[in-house]
Amino acid sequence: MNDRQYDPYAGTDPYAGEYAGEYAADQYQVVGYDEYGRPVYQQVQQPQVPQQSQGYDPYAGTQQGYDVYGGAGTSYDNAAWIPQQQQQQQQQPVPVPEPEPAPAPPPRREEPGEYKTEQFSFIEEPDEESEDVIDWLKFTESRTERREEAKRRGRSRVVALVVVLALVIAGGVGYLWFAGKLPGQSGDDGGAAAASGPQKRDVIVLHLHNTKGGGTSTALLVNNATTERGATVLLPNTLAVSDDDGTPTTLGKSVDDDGSTGTRDAIDTVLGTQVEGTWRLDTPYLENLVELVGNIDIDTNADVPDPKAKKGEAPLVKKGEQQTLSGKMAVAYATYRASGEQETDQLQRFGAVVQGVLRKLSSDPQAATTTVQSLAQILDPSLEDKDLGAFLAKLADRAKGGDYKTTLLPVGQGGTLTDGAGEAVVKDVLGGAVKSPDKDAAVRVGVRNATGKKGATQDARVSLVNGGYTFIDAGAGSAARPASQVTYADADKKEQATEVAKTLGLPESAVRKGTTAANADVSVELGQDYRTR
């Protein structure tokens, strides 16, 4: 048997012949283990052993040796295959085992004092730089907030101080105004302080018609939007006015004869105002108005008897402070005039009732308009119910706030305005001296007769009316004067004053600059040099 053909591992080595070729002469050795416990191999290059010729056997022949298995004298001829077998084994490729999945590591026994994995938690270490930045931002924000808060407190203090000062000033001025101690006030006359410039005034005329006793009572209701004050100006029926053609008449006659439109024009002419509308209030409507506002509380200056009461019974209205009046009582008091009293006494009572109604009327325009509509009265075309309601609401607000006064227009003999007091009311309350007539309006000429002749006034009236001027009767002088005088107050009225002098036949030398009546653009005082025609 040829020993080179014998392979002791044939059929038993599963890797025999699998790694032939480039791995035939390589061997592998374990150099370590991976994290899964699997062996890591490294290829080891073995030196190539020269392959002996098959025909040469150095051990062939007669050499013998000691055979540990067969005893002494065993021929090497039989054992000659061993070195060759080793050589074949060295030349035979070493199989590389297929790496097997590493077995799962055995569970670790828990020793006393050890912690489980789930018992641990990660704690993020604070970043010192981040903390510093956060602290700086907090410091900056807090400092900014403190600055803003300090600014807000400062502004609040300034606003509070301004409000306090304004209240103190307003209170002081209000007290002085109420006490009549402000410069320009007429005190007992009830005139308001004159403003330095033009003022915005709304004026309507109120006519109270006594349907039972007859007669009328007239007042001007004034809302001064500039000074935020209200006033009732009582006009005596004896006030001298002119009708449409310039004929002298009285206010009382004008209401009866000329109606609302003619009377408004006459009032505008004599007082230099601009009446915007007429409110005719008959006594039954006044009674209803007082009932609608819920009665009024006023100071009464006389006991007013009940016309239907028997002799000896208590009066309908008692004299005293803060007397509560119903509608019937208010009408009786507003129209009452005792025997021997002047018309002005009755006008004062009428004015007290009007102011009492305003104090009880709503300051809301819509509510005040509803009250007016509830009266179901027929209003003058010049004044709609919503306009009257809005106007009365403003006056009601003034009356409730103490910024409202009732004053009487003083009228002297002949129905003309008295010097001083009358002109002050026209100027301060009604703004007669401030109001500028329209460009095409007729020049108002106030004429005072100081000739000593009664017919001079009528003669001058005819001349002025024919010349296109508005005649205003200023009454008669206390004494005759030798020379006539034509006076203008504003420089732009000088030319008009010169034309008035020519119209009356007076010399130009009679014209001079001075003080005029509050209700006239040009004032004329006729002297003995005036020649009647």
Side-chain angles (χ1 to χ4, degrees):
M1 178 179 298
N2 188 351
D3 57 349
R4 296 181 181 179
Q5 297 180 354
Y6 174 72
D7 188 358
Y9 298 99
T12 62
D13 188 0
Y15 304 102
E18 185 176 352
Y19 296 97
E22 59 177 331
Y23 297 103
D26 297 336
Q27 291 185 350
Y28 292 85
Q29 64 180 359
V30 177
V31 296
Y33 297 88
D34 60 10
E35 61 272 16
Y36 299 102
R38 293 177 296 185
V40 177
Y41 298 92
Q42 181 178 3
Q43 184 178 4
V44 179
Q45 296 291 339
Q46 297 291 337
Q48 296 291 337
V49 179
Q51 187 174 2
Q52 300 292 331
S53 174
Q54 294 182 357
Y56 174 74
D57 187 0
Y59 298 98
T62 60
Q63 291 183 346
Q64 295 182 358
Y66 181 76
D67 185 2
V68 294
Y69 300 99
T74 303
S75 174
Y76 284 96
D77 191 42
N78 294 331
W81 63 273
I82 296 176
Q84 187 175 5
Q85 181 179 352
Q86 294 177 353
Q87 183 179 5
Q88 291 178 355
Q89 291 177 357
Q90 292 177 357
Q91 295 178 353
Q92 193 173 16
V94 179
V96 179
E98 182 74 20
E100 298 181 359
R108 182 178 177 180
R109 292 182 179 182
E110 298 179 3
E111 298 295 334
E114 293 186 352
Y115 295 91
K116 298 182 180 180
T117 303
E118 60 269 20
Q119 291 179 310
F120 290 91
S121 61
F122 293 93
I123 301 177
E124 185 178 357
E125 296 183 358
D127 190 350
E128 295 181 358
E129 295 182 358
S130 299
E131 291 294 335
D132 293 340
V133 172
I134 294 174
D135 293 340
W136 171 254
L137 291 176
K138 291 181 178 180
F139 170 76
T140 304
E141 292 175 356
S142 61
R143 183 173 62 177
T144 302
E145 292 176 356
R146 289 195 298 269
R147 289 178 177 176
E148 294 296 330
E149 182 63 24
K151 291 180 181 178
R152 286 193 293 268
R153 289 197 300 266
R155 287 193 295 266
S156 300
R157 294 191 186 101
V158 172
V159 172
L161 179 60
V162 171
V163 171
V164 170
L165 290 177
L167 291 176
V168 171
I169 294 173
V173 173
Y175 170 77
L176 292 176
W177 177 82
F178 181 80
K181 297 181 180 180
L182 287 177
Q185 279 188 297
S186 58
D188 296 338
D189 299 328
S196 58
Q199 302 177 19
K200 176 65 174 64
R201 295 176 175 88
D202 297 320
V203 183
I204 68 170
V205 58
L206 169 63
H207 298 302
L208 176 65
H209 289 254
N210 189 344
T211 57
K212 294 183 178 180
T216 59
S217 300
T218 301
L220 294 180
L221 304 181
V222 184
N223 175 46
N224 192 323
T226 304
T227 61
E228 297 184 351
R229 297 174 185 171
T232 298
V233 180
L234 304 171
L235 306 182
N237 284 330
T238 58
L239 176 64
V241 296
S242 300
D243 57 15
D244 296 338
D245 59 0
T247 302
T249 186
T250 62
L251 177 62
K253 292 181 180 179
S254 178
V255 174
D256 294 334
D257 299 338
D258 298 335
S260 60
T261 302
T263 302
R264 285 198 308 271
D265 295 339
I267 292 174
D268 286 342
T269 299
V270 73
L271 299 180
T273 58
Q274 186 176 0
V275 179
E276 300 174 2
T278 299
W279 182 20
R280 172 169 176 164
L281 187 65
D282 293 352
T283 49
Y285 293 112
L286 174 60
E287 181 177 346
N288 293 338
L289 178 61
V290 173
E291 296 293 339
L292 286 173
V293 299
N295 299 336
I296 60 175
D297 298 316
I298 63 173
D299 296 338
T300 58
N301 60 8
D303 290 334
V304 179
D306 188 350
K308 297 181 179 180
K310 297 180 180 180
K311 188 177 180 179
E313 292 185 356
L316 179 63
V317 177
K318 293 183 179 180
K319 179 181 177 180
E321 296 181 354
Q322 293 298 296
Q323 297 294 310
T324 301
L325 306 184
S326 63
K328 179 181 179 181
M329 297 166 67
V331 170
Y333 186 77
T335 58
Y336 178 71
R337 179 178 176 180
S339 177
E341 287 187 336
Q342 301 294 324
E343 179 195 9
T344 55
D345 295 329
Q346 178 265 319
L347 278 178
Q348 295 283 9
R349 298 185 183 108
F350 169 52
V353 170
V354 171
Q355 188 166 347
V357 170
L358 292 175
R359 282 197 296 262
K360 295 296 293 290
L361 190 67
S362 174
S363 299
D364 178 66
Q366 184 59 46
T369 300
T370 301
T371 301
V372 172
Q373 293 172 341
S374 299
L375 294 176
Q377 63 180 335
I378 300 176
L379 296 177
D380 186 87
S382 63
L383 195 64
E384 297 182 357
D385 51 4
K386 62 178 182 179
D387 296 330
L388 178 59
F391 179 80
L392 294 178
K394 293 179 181 178
L395 294 183
D397 187 59
R398 311 278 191 237
K400 294 174 184 177
D403 297 324
Y404 198 95
K405 300 187 77 173
T406 300
T407 186
L408 176 68
L409 179 67
V411 175
Q413 293 182 354
T416 59
L417 297 178
T418 60
D419 295 336
E423 294 183 358
V425 173
V426 174
K427 178 181 178 181
D428 299 338
V429 181
L430 300 176
V434 176
K435 175 183 176 292
S436 298
D438 297 335
K439 182 178 180 180
D440 299 331
V443 177
R444 297 168 296 173
V445 180
V447 178
R448 181 188 296 269
N449 186 2
T451 63
K453 302 176 182 179
K454 295 183 179 179
T457 302
Q458 180 63 19
D459 187 77
R461 183 191 70 80
V462 173
S463 298
L464 291 173
V465 171
N466 291 338
Y469 298 97
T470 300
F471 173 81
I472 299 176
D473 190 356
S478 58
R481 60 179 303 164
S484 300
Q485 186 172 285
V486 181
T487 308
Y488 64 91
D490 299 329
D492 57 352
K493 297 293 192 298
K494 181 179 180 179
E495 183 178 354
Q496 297 174 351
T498 302
E499 293 299 325
V500 169
K502 292 179 180 179
T503 302
L504 295 175
L506 299 174
E508 188 173 346
S509 59
V511 179
R512 70 179 182 87
K513 185 177 181 179
T515 302
T516 62
N519 59 337
D521 301 313
V522 177
S523 292
V524 177
E525 189 170 23
L526 299 176
Q528 293 176 342
D529 61 343
Y530 176 69
R531 299 291 183 264
T532 59
R533 303 185 184 188

